[in-house]
Amino acid sequence: MKALLFGWVLLVPICCFAQQSKPGAPAGTRIGTATRLVVLFSDLERQLISGLQKNDQAALDQLLANDFEVWTPAPPGGPIARADWLEQMKNRTPVENFSLRQMAVRDLGDHAAASFVLLEKRPGAQSSAYFVVDLWARAGGGWKLTDRYASSVDPAPYAGERKPTGKD
């Protein structure tokens, strides 16, 4: 099942980049409306980050599957287990503020793939950015995060990004 989801994870970013603007539309004129799933998963991602910031184990247990893993391109190339990742997050310098950019969600039935750029600002440090693909599974009446694929990206292109107002 994870192999099938991994295939979808690879397709989500391609689809997101391919649908960024309509052909023939002038650059910078696209005004996006958040879908129901984008709103839902943006909220879940914010709850996760808030739980990490507050070290709120109850909130994290509600959001993370027991077999949650994080995958990164950093050596050795294997997944980071839930307990190890939570320990890493606990030992990091706290995030001063964060934002989610370019959120896209693909509904896969009992699963969903959410991709986005996470911008983080820590006190006394430059901003950092990560391209993230999260795989969520339906659990009871809600969702649990089962897998995270994350890679550092250059934060510069996102630093001045602003939301369209429709008045430009």
Side-chain angles (χ1 to χ4, degrees):
M1 185 64 171
K2 283 192 179 185
L4 177 63
L5 288 175
F6 183 71
W8 280 107
V9 167
L10 294 177
L11 289 177
V12 169
I14 293 169
C15 294
C16 294
F17 292 120
Q19 295 180 1
Q20 284 188 357
S21 63
K22 293 181 181 178
T29 60
R30 182 172 177 247
I31 298 175
T33 302
T35 66
R36 176 185 58 82
L37 289 176
V38 166
V39 171
L40 171 67
F41 286 98
S42 293
D43 182 55
L44 289 171
E45 297 291 350
R46 286 184 185 96
Q47 288 177 41
L48 176 62
I49 293 169
S50 176
L52 290 168
Q53 288 176 318
K54 297 174 184 174
N55 196 23
D56 182 348
Q57 196 59 48
L60 295 171
D61 287 343
Q62 192 172 8
L63 293 166
L64 298 175
N66 291 335
D67 61 347
F68 169 77
E69 296 177 323
V70 176
W71 297 80
T72 71
I80 302 167
R82 173 187 161 142
D84 295 335
W85 182 72
L86 288 173
E87 189 64 29
Q88 287 177 11
M89 295 298 104
K90 193 184 315 181
N91 293 328
R92 287 176 36 165
T93 305
V95 173
E96 189 173 84
N97 60 49
F98 69 91
S99 65
L100 304 173
R101 306 281 177 95
Q102 300 179 352
M103 173 68 79
V105 180
R106 173 81 173 172
D107 185 353
L108 304 170
D110 285 340
H111 292 84
S115 65
F116 55 94
V117 175
L118 171 62
L119 290 175
E120 296 179 332
K121 176 69 175 131
R122 289 183 163 63
Q126 290 186 339
S127 294
S128 54
Y130 305 91
F131 179 71
V132 178
V133 177
D134 279 347
L135 297 179
W136 293 83
R138 287 189 196 273
W143 293 88
K144 291 237 183 201
L145 183 56
T146 62
D147 294 272
R148 170 168 279 191
Y149 298 83
S151 183
S152 296
V153 294
D154 180 8
Y158 309 100
E161 186 178 295
R162 56 190 181 100
K163 294 183 179 181
T165 63
K167 297 179 183 178
D168 297 332

